[in-house]
């Protein structure tokens, strides 16, 4: 039996464990098992476990099957009424997997790939009587780029046994992490893993899972998603459930993704206030009474159960569950991972006991499920005031028959210097290498958030210090990064809705709010927490909100400096808004800087939601009408790009003048056009269906026009939208494809692709001028840059072979 080193026998005076067996001898194992298991401590496991696995396997009787080292598909011999695989499933033996496996990516270094697998088993406590073993191996080279149907073998020379490490265990469940280390080869490799001697609650769960590691001189193929769940009250059947994950798996089968980036709201926990333990609190009509409501241990325990069960339910939902086990994940959380609007309500309400309590509980399971890290030993409860502070005294009630591994963070994390204002934990930002030429930076924009800040100034200093160190180190080796992917939960280049903020926060709303508090008037308009207008927390979340404008502008300028300093192209990923769109920053046209040399050219890929329902088309059209050209400073403009040359399929979702926002579910794919690619892969295909215009055709154009070859012809006909040509050029550009759902009633989740390319940056210091000292350029608007929405009508682009089209300046119509 494996035990925590501080445990003592019951007869030494310990308080009796209320969850213990009636007899001490009930779970005593055989002496043979004891000899094999005595040295195995699941709390501190490392290395191999041949002796224990040999003990488990030496007397096993199995039928004829391929030589898969215990990891392939086969039919076991059935003895009596049991097949040996599902035997004992009714007993709580610690071997039933109720969630997982979940596959994560962490980092690359020294020609090795680092990741982890997590499973959640039924039952547990301070002591575990079973330690699972994961078998990892590289699949035979002949199938490295081929079939992944479960018939491939694992080479014995590459096989590794990895004992599970217990991160957390209580009488309900145990969380096991398996750290993975894979060697990186000169070619893409396919890896297989399976977990011995466990049985799965789901009968359809594959016993062997596969994932891919890119070649040493190639970058990762990236999948990006956000808003992976349904809001409270949504008719999930009307939206065919998480249907787009079927399309993700089809895309993965065509060209395997090496990493899956979650941009926030990987799960929706809002139901806790409707059908969960916060329903009574939510129903309190008086905001002051709601604010003063305590968060005792009984409510903390009920909320803990809710978050745990909701995670197990959602992360076991197909086809999302299949992707979890096959595509390595990198995740940053957002508000719905906690509760809608967390961090963006008024300060006095955010500091109430209930919000502090659920913030800590949500963080606990965010750490476990999304990062495979041990959580804090206890979370906030008003019964134990010391838990309000990070690193405060542990709550002994939460540790009854509970094991919590000591916290440790992987080197890929950039940990904030002080706890957040409402979650008493440090922010967890990430830097990681996504293959040979792509770097990844994820900013935790929720842990430190208030209505007036997104992150602490010192957190930005830590982040940019780490980025400079990493980019500088890569450049010093002669293998610099060419692209930097920045993950922000919320879009940063997006239309302003200041006028709507002004209406919702206007004194004119006060009488209506009074009637709502006293008589329930306009109940659907106001949120259930602080009594503000329901949409105001969403608006306050945005980087473009007036309360975050200064911080946003400073962040963009620091990013521009990084781009110029290291000649690296930055692309930002954002979600949250339940729309597909593509924003970009770029240099003022009067500076005449080609995009390929423009360090201010930063694309914001907005992909949201992969599961949640989109807003009405009227909202998308309203946002499009607000899509003016804005001026970050004298040298930088910004606006959305016309990406959507048509509505998906044969639908008519948006008005004809809207080419910039798409109210349909979606996800994004990003692939580098590797310099190692064979140009023959794109023979017969042009970069765009309209020929290649000369460089001077883009000179002096504003953001309502195409700004580069990579943007030219963007949409469904662009080469980045075609799986046959996506990522197949060799110019180093980043191909971006947003795949948009065609029909919400289609359970297969078929999509329409829209594409563009983002070129690498060739920055040349001092070559171009600046407008900083030109006084007249500080005016709010420049001639010809405000008013109409940005659309590029398909009808205005010539299709004659070899023609050199003009790039339209002013919209004239649309799809």
């Amino acid at each position: 039996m494996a035990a925590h080193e501080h445990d003592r026998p019951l007869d030494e005076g310990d308080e009796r464990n209320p969850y213990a067996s009636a007899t001490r001898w009930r779970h005593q194992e055989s002496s043979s098992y004891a000899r094999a298991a005595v040295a195995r401590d699941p709390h501190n496991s490392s290395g191999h476990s041949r002796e224990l696995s040999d003990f488990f396997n030496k007397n096993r009787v199995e039928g004829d099957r391929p030589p898969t080292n215990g990891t392939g598909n086969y039919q076991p011999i059935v003895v009596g009424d049991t097949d040996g695989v599902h035997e004992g499933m009714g007993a709580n033996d610690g071997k039933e997997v109720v969630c997982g496996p979940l596959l994560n990516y962490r980092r690359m270094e020294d020609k090795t790939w680092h990741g982890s697998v997590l499973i959640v088993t039924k039952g547990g406590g301070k002591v575990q009587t079973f330690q699972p073993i994961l078998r990892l191996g590289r699949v035979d080279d002949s199938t490295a780029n081929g079939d992944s149907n479960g018939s491939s073998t694992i080479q014995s020379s590459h096989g590794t046994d990895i004992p599970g490490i217990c991160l957390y265990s209580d009488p309900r469940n145990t969380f096991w992490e398996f750290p993975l280390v894979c060697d990186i080869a000169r070619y893409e490799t396919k890896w297989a893993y399976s977990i011995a001697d466990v049985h799965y609650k789901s009968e359809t769960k594959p016993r062997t899972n596969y994932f891919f590691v890119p070649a040493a001189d190639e970058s990762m193929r990236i999948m990006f998603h956000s808003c992976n769940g349904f809001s409270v009250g949504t008719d999930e059947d009307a939206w065919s459930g998480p249907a787009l994950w079927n399309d993700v798996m089809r895309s993965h089968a065509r060209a395997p993704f090496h990493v899956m980036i979650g941009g926030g709201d990987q799960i929706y926990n809002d139901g806790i206030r409707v059908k969960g333990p916060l329903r009574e609190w939510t129903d309190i009509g008086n905001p002051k009474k709601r604010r003063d409501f305590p968060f005792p241990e009984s409510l903390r325990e009920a909320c803990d159960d809710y978050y745990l069960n909701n995670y197990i339910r959602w992360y076991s939902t197909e086809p999302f569950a299949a992707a979890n086990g096959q595509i390595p994940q990198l995740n940053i959380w957002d508000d719905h991972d906690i509760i809608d609007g967390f961090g963006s309500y008024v300060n006095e309400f955010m500091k109430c006991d209930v919000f502090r309590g659920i913030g800590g509980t949500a963080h606990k399971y965010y750490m476990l499920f999304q990062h495979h890290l041990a959580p804090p030993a206890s979370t906030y409860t008003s019964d134990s005031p010391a838990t309000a502070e990070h690193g405060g005294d542990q709550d002994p009630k939460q540790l009854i028959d509970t094991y919590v591994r000591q916290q440790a963070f992987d080197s890929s994390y950039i940990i904030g210097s002080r706890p957040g204002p409402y979650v008493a934990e440090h922010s967890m930002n990430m830097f990681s290498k996504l293959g040979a030429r792509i770097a990844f930076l994820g900013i935790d924009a929720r842990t430190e958030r208030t209505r007036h800040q997104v992150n602490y100034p010192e957190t930005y200093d830590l982040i940019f210090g780490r980025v400079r160190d990493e980019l500088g180190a890569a450049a010093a080796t002669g293998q610099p990064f060419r692209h930097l992917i920045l993950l922000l939960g919320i879009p940063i280049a997006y239309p302003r809705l200041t006028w709507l903020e002004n209406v919702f926060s206007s004194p004119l709303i006060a009488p209506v709010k009074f009637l709502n508090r006293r008589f329930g008037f306009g109940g659907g308009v106001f949120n259930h927490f602080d009594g503000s207008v329901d949409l105001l927390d969403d608006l306050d979340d945005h980087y473009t909100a007036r309360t975050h404008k200064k911080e946003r502008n400073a962040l963009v300028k620091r990013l521009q400096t990084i781009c110029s300093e290291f000649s690296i192209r930055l692309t930002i990923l954002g979600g949250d808004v339940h729309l597909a769109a593509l924003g970009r920053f770029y240099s003022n046209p009067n500076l005449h800087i080609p995009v390929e040399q423009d360090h201010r050219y930063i694309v914001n890929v907005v992909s949201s939601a992969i599961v949640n329902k989109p807003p009405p088309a009227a909202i998308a059209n309203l946002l499009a009408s607000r899509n003016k050209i804005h001026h970050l400073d004298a040298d930088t403009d910004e606006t959305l790009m016309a990406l959507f040359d048509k509505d998906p399929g044969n639908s008519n979702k948006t008005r004809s003048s809207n080419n910039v926002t798409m109210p349909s579910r979606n996800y994004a794919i990003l692939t580098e056009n590797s310099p190692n690619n064979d140009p023959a892969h794109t023979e017969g295909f042009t970069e765009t269906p309209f020929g290649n215009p000369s460089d001077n055709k883009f000179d002096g154009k504003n953001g309502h026009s195409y700004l580069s070859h990579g943007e030219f012809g963007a949409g469904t006909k662009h080469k980045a939208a075609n799986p046959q040509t996506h990522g197949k050029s060799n110019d180093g550009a980043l191909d971006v494809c947003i795949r948009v759902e065609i029909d919400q009633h289609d359970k297969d989740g078929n999509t329409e692709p829209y594409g563009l390319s983002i070129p690498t940056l060739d920055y040349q210091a001092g070559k171009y001028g600046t407008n900083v000292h030109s006084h007249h350029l500080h005016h709010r608007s420049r001639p010809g840059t405000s008013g109409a929405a940005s659309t590029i009508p398909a009808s205005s682009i010539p299709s004659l072979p070899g023609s050199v089209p003009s790039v339209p300046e002013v919209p004239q119509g649309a799809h």
Side-chain angles (χ1 to χ4, degrees):
M1 178 180 291
H4 190 13
E5 61 185 358
H6 296 122
D7 291 338
R8 300 191 305 274
L10 288 174
D11 57 9
E12 291 186 18
D14 284 37
E15 179 181 350
R16 180 165 180 81
N17 181 348
Y19 303 99
S21 303
T23 168
R24 292 180 57 193
W25 317 116
R26 177 175 297 175
H27 300 297
Q28 181 170 323
E29 305 291 351
S30 69
S31 58
S32 299
Y33 175 88
R35 285 193 298 273
V38 66
R40 306 308 311 163
D41 183 351
H43 303 150
N44 297 284
S45 293
S46 61
H48 302 281
S49 55
R50 291 289 185 186
E51 293 182 5
L52 184 58
S53 60
D54 288 347
F55 168 79
F56 284 140
N57 294 323
K58 70 179 181 179
N59 295 319
R60 176 180 289 170
V61 179
E62 296 176 332
D64 295 333
R65 58 187 173 118
T68 60
N69 290 329
T71 60
N73 293 335
Y74 68 98
Q75 294 296 321
I77 293 176
V78 176
V79 181
D81 295 327
T82 177
D83 61 5
V85 175
H86 298 87
E87 182 178 9
M89 289 183 66
N92 186 7
D93 55 4
K95 299 182 180 182
E96 181 181 356
V97 177
V98 297
C99 187
L102 311 178
L103 177 63
N104 268 21
Y105 168 66
R106 296 202 186 280
R107 68 186 188 281
M108 285 181 170
E109 61 183 23
D110 299 328
K111 296 184 179 180
T112 55
W113 178 102
H114 296 262
S116 61
V117 167
L118 180 89
I119 61 171
V120 185
T121 55
K122 182 179 179 181
K126 193 175 289 292
V127 176
Q128 292 75 52
T129 59
F130 166 73
Q131 181 180 24
I133 307 294
L134 181 143
R135 177 74 170 169
L136 173 71
R138 196 171 76 194
V139 174
D140 188 283
D141 296 351
S142 63
T143 60
N145 292 296
D147 136 61
S148 59
N149 61 8
S151 61
S152 303
T153 64
I154 299 177
Q155 290 185 351
S156 297
S157 59
H158 293 284
T160 303
D161 279 351
I162 303 170
I165 297 173
C166 179
L167 298 179
Y168 178 87
S169 183
D170 64 26
R172 300 167 302 172
N173 296 104
T174 300
F175 290 77
W176 297 100
E177 184 233 358
F178 306 88
L180 307 184
V181 179
C182 304
D183 56 300
I184 301 173
R186 57 182 176 80
Y187 49 84
E188 182 181 55
T189 50
K190 178 180 179 182
W191 294 76
Y193 70 90
S194 61
I195 302 168
D197 299 302
V198 298
H199 46 80
Y200 291 86
K201 184 177 182 180
S202 169
E203 292 292 333
T204 60
K205 181 71 68 174
R207 276 27 179 186
T208 301
N209 282 283
Y210 301 86
F211 64 94
F212 291 79
V213 173
D217 60 350
E218 297 294 350
S219 299
M220 291 187 176
R221 288 185 292 270
I222 302 166
M223 179 265 183
F224 168 63
H225 69 93
S226 69
C227 302
N228 181 43
F230 288 105
S231 295
V232 171
T234 303
D235 184 346
E236 299 182 16
D237 291 336
W239 291 91
S240 305
L244 258 64
W245 285 103
N246 288 315
D247 197 68
V248 170
M249 297 309 292
R250 285 192 295 270
S251 296
H252 182 59
R254 284 194 298 266
F257 298 120
H258 299 118
V259 68
M260 179 166 75
I261 297 176
D265 302 337
Q266 278 70 253
I267 184 171
Y268 275 61
N269 286 313
D270 307 336
I272 194 171
R273 67 173 176 83
V274 176
K275 55 185 178 182
L278 293 188
R279 177 60 186 267
E280 178 185 354
W281 174 73
T282 306
D283 286 344
I284 297 173
N286 188 311
K288 185 180 184 303
K289 291 181 179 179
R290 201 180 304 125
R291 185 184 66 221
D292 296 338
F293 199 87
F295 195 74
E297 171 59 19
S298 58
L299 183 55
R300 185 213 62 80
E301 186 176 8
C303 289
D304 193 286
D305 283 341
Y306 179 88
Y307 281 102
L308 171 63
N309 293 330
N310 199 39
Y311 261 104
I312 291 174
R313 176 194 65 84
W314 183 245
Y315 274 67
S316 301
T317 300
E318 297 291 356
F320 173 50
N324 287 334
Q326 299 178 42
I327 310 174
Q329 303 173 61
L330 278 174
N331 296 318
I332 291 287
W333 70 345
D334 204 25
D335 58 334
H336 293 282
D337 296 278
I338 312 171
I339 198 170
D340 184 24
F342 189 94
S344 291
Y345 299 113
V346 296
N347 182 64
E348 62 176 6
F349 189 76
M350 283 303 311
K351 287 190 172 181
C352 76
D353 285 341
V354 171
F355 263 7
R356 292 168 75 95
I358 61 173
T361 305
H363 180 268
K364 170 183 176 179
Y365 290 109
Y366 169 61
M367 294 274 285
L368 286 165
F369 280 94
Q370 297 196 40
H371 290 275
H372 306 180
L373 296 173
S378 53
T379 61
Y380 177 75
T381 167
S382 52
D383 287 353
S384 180
T387 56
E389 301 299 327
H390 177 79
D393 293 340
Q394 298 175 0
D395 180 7
K397 291 182 180 179
Q398 297 180 44
L399 297 176
I400 295 175
D401 200 19
T402 297
Y403 170 78
V404 186
R405 183 176 175 81
Q406 185 174 354
Q407 283 192 295
F409 293 91
D410 185 81
S411 61
S412 58
Y413 289 97
I414 308 168
I415 305 299
S417 59
R418 56 192 172 102
Y422 312 128
V423 178
E425 303 299 334
H426 294 251
S427 63
M428 301 196 322
N429 312 280
M430 294 185 288
F431 184 95
S432 192
K433 183 178 181 179
L434 302 186
R437 289 168 295 276
I438 301 179
F440 169 79
L441 172 64
I443 296 183
D444 178 352
R446 187 56 54 179
T447 303
E448 298 172 358
R449 177 181 289 270
T450 71
R451 290 187 86 171
H452 301 286
Q453 76 172 22
V454 180
N455 288 99
Y456 299 135
E458 54 267 39
T459 296
Y460 286 119
D461 291 340
L462 288 170
I463 290 170
F464 280 97
R466 173 68 176 273
V467 170
R468 278 195 166 83
D469 289 345
E470 296 281 358
L471 299 186
T477 66
Q479 297 178 318
F481 292 111
R482 301 310 312 276
H483 292 274
L484 174 60
I485 304 294
L486 170 62
L487 175 60
L488 299 174
I490 295 170
I492 197 167
Y494 199 67
R496 276 68 162 160
L497 292 175
T498 306
W499 62 275
L500 200 54
E501 292 180 73
N502 291 336
V503 170
F504 288 163
S505 57
S506 166
L508 297 176
I509 293 292
V512 185
K513 291 174 69 174
F514 173 78
L515 292 174
N516 172 258
R517 287 196 302 269
R518 294 296 297 272
F519 308 110
F521 177 78
V525 177
F526 300 93
N527 69 58
H528 295 276
F529 300 135
D530 64 356
S532 298
V533 176
D534 196 36
L535 286 175
L536 192 56
D537 66 289
D538 292 312
L539 296 175
D540 283 341
D541 258 1
H542 284 209
Y543 279 100
T544 53
R546 62 172 180 264
T547 54
H548 298 310
K549 182 178 179 180
K550 184 177 180 180
E551 180 179 354
R552 168 190 183 268
N553 292 355
L555 172 59
V556 173
K557 290 180 181 180
R558 291 184 80 167
L559 292 168
Q560 291 176 345
T561 301
I562 289 290
C563 293
S564 63
E565 188 175 337
F566 295 96
S567 191
I568 189 170
R569 177 68 69 198
L570 174 67
T571 299
I572 300 174
L573 305 180
D576 182 72
V577 294
H578 301 181
L579 291 165
L582 198 136
R584 70 253 209 265
F585 300 95
Y586 54 93
S587 286
N588 185 318
N590 69 11
L591 295 175
H592 303 285
I593 305 177
V595 160
E596 292 75 12
Q597 298 176 37
D598 184 7
H599 69 288
R600 301 183 187 93
Y601 180 78
I602 300 172
V603 172
N604 186 179
V605 179
V606 181
S607 180
S608 169
I610 192 169
V611 171
N612 209 353
K613 69 177 182 180
I619 297 295
N621 293 333
L622 171 65
L623 288 166
S625 71
R626 303 294 301 173
N627 182 42
K628 300 178 180 181
I629 293 178
H630 296 274
H631 315 300
L632 180 83
D633 57 26
D635 290 337
T636 308
D637 288 355
E638 58 177 291
T639 193
L640 296 183
M641 194 193 91
L643 176 64
F644 304 105
D645 55 328
K646 64 183 289 291
D647 284 329
N650 297 318
S651 65
N652 292 292
K653 292 178 178 289
T654 60
R655 69 186 180 201
S656 60
S657 60
N658 178 8
N659 296 94
V660 297
T661 58
M662 181 58 67
S664 296
R665 298 192 293 185
N666 62 89
Y667 66 95
I669 300 171
L670 298 90
T671 309
E672 179 197 35
N673 288 279
S674 170
N676 303 314
N677 283 347
D678 184 349
H681 287 173
T682 56
E683 284 184 3
F685 295 93
T686 57
E687 291 299 298
T688 74
F690 312 112
N692 293 311
S694 59
D695 289 336
N696 62 6
K697 289 296 179 181
F698 304 109
D699 184 38
K701 300 296 182 181
N702 66 40
H704 288 169
S705 306
Y706 296 131
L707 298 177
S708 69
H709 288 283
E711 291 187 2
F712 189 75
T716 56
K717 298 179 181 179
H718 194 279
K719 78 102 175 173
N722 187 334
Q724 293 180 278
T725 52
H726 177 95
K728 299 297 177 60
S729 298
N730 60 2
D731 58 359
L734 194 67
D735 275 357
V736 177
C737 176
I738 299 181
R739 301 195 67 93
V740 177
E741 183 177 46
I742 296 173
D743 180 4
Q744 72 182 65
H745 303 292
D746 176 14
K747 294 184 181 298
D748 290 333
N750 289 295
T751 59
E752 180 99 55
Y754 300 81
L756 82 155
S757 297
I758 301 172
T760 55
L761 175 62
D762 178 21
Y763 179 72
Q764 300 178 33
K767 183 175 181 179
Y768 298 98
T770 177
N771 289 320
V772 169
H773 304 297
S774 301
H775 177 72
H776 69 280
L777 290 173
H778 290 278
H779 292 174
R780 184 176 179 85
S781 297
R782 304 186 191 107
T785 63
S786 61
S790 63
T791 57
I792 300 178
S795 60
S796 70
I797 302 176
S799 57
L800 294 175
S803 64
V804 182
S806 298
V807 182
E809 184 87 42
V810 181
Q812 302 170 10
H815 57 268

